[in-house]
Amino acid sequence: MIESTKSEFGHIDVLVNNAGVASPAKLYEDEEFGRIASMLEINLRAPIEATRLFAKYIREDDGRRGVVVNMTSMGGLMPNRGGEVYGALKAALIHLTRASRTLAPVVRVAAIAPYYVRTPMVLSNPKLQNNNTVFPDLMLDIDQVCEATVRCIEDEGSAGQTYALIGRWTYLRMWLFDFAGLHIRLLAGWSLLVVRVLQMLGLK
C-alpha cells in the first residue's frame, strides 16, 4: 500500500482508515464465524496495520508530518444489541486512536464517530429496519462526514481525539477517555488512602 501510493503520488501525507463492513445477521441467532472473522479483519486488523505502516513511513522521513483519521462509529461509543461485534471493533479503533496520541506532532491520529450515515450498507441492513434506535432525522449525509474528515485533518489539536457526528452536530469532541481517566485516578487515590490508613492502624 505504502509503496504503490508513493510510486503514484511521490509521497503520502494523510491516511484515512475508512473501509468497514457490517453483518446483517444477529450475533446470538444466525451469525457465522466467517462473517465475524471478516469484520475483525477489515474493521480492526486492517486499520491497525495501515496505521502502523504509515507511522513508520512518516517517522523515517525527517521533517515530514502525517495525519491519520480513523472512521469509527457512534456504535463504538454506545453499545447496543444487534451491533455487538461491529461496535466492539469500532470501540477498539477509538482506543487505538487515543493510545496513539503520543505520536503527535509527527503523526497525528484522530477519529470520527458518525451516527448512521445514508450509505447502501446502512440503508440495506435488515437489522436497522423498524429499529427504535434509528432516527432518520438524525442520519448523516456522506458530504457531512467528508467535511468533518477534512476538518479533522486540518485541526492541529485533534491528536488522540474522537469527534462525534449526529444530526446537525458534525464535529463534537467526545470526553470519554478524559472522564474515564479521572474516574480511575480517583479510584486509585481512594484505594491507596484506604491502604495507608489500614497500615497506620496496624490492620494490614
Side-chain angles (χ1 to χ4, degrees):
M1 177 190 73
I2 297 291
E3 293 304 320
S4 61
T5 305
K6 280 175 59 180
S7 64
E8 179 72 19
F9 300 102
H11 60 82
I12 312 170
D13 299 299
V14 176
L15 168 67
V16 179
N17 287 314
N18 186 55
V21 294
S23 172
K26 296 180 179 179
L27 179 61
Y28 301 110
E29 296 178 20
D30 54 350
E31 187 57 279
E32 299 174 356
F33 176 77
R35 277 194 293 251
I36 294 175
S38 178
M39 283 194 287
L40 178 60
E41 188 74 19
I42 297 170
N43 293 4
L44 185 59
R45 185 177 174 184
I48 288 176
E49 182 64 2
T51 301
R52 183 184 73 83
L53 293 174
F54 178 77
K56 185 173 183 290
Y57 158 73
I58 293 293
R59 297 173 83 183
E60 288 176 347
D61 190 345
D62 289 340
R64 184 172 295 284
R65 297 194 175 188
V67 180
V68 178
V69 178
N70 289 318
M71 194 61 62
T72 65
S73 167
M74 201 160 282
L77 297 168
M78 296 181 61
N80 67 89
R81 183 68 184 273
E84 297 90 346
V85 177
Y86 182 85
L89 298 176
K90 293 301 185 180
L93 199 52
I94 291 170
H95 184 99
L96 173 72
T97 300
R98 182 65 171 188
S100 301
R101 69 189 185 279
T102 54
L103 293 174
V106 178
V107 181
R108 179 161 40 86
V109 183
I112 297 291
Y115 184 65
Y116 296 107
V117 184
R118 294 184 182 90
T119 64
M121 184 180 80
V122 170
L123 298 176
S124 64
N125 192 327
K127 288 191 294 187
L128 301 181
Q129 309 301 321
N130 300 317
N131 186 321
N132 59 11
T133 68
V134 180
F135 301 95
D137 290 343
L138 297 180
M139 292 182 73
L140 298 157
D141 294 322
I142 295 174
D143 287 347
Q144 290 176 291
V145 179
C146 292
E147 289 169 5
T149 302
V150 172
R151 184 173 176 182
C152 196
I153 293 168
E154 296 175 343
D155 184 354
E156 295 186 0
S158 66
Q161 303 300 331
T162 296
Y163 297 92
L165 287 70
I166 182 169
R168 295 182 179 274
W169 295 94
T170 55
Y171 199 70
L172 183 65
R173 177 181 169 183
M174 301 304 296
W175 298 87
L176 178 69
F177 289 102
D178 300 273
F179 286 127
L182 176 61
H183 194 185
I184 290 169
R185 288 184 181 89
L186 289 173
L187 288 174
W190 176 255
S191 298
L192 287 171
L193 177 62
V194 171
V195 169
R196 296 291 182 269
V197 170
L198 291 174
Q199 288 175 340
M200 291 173 60
L201 296 175
L203 299 176
K204 184 175 181 180

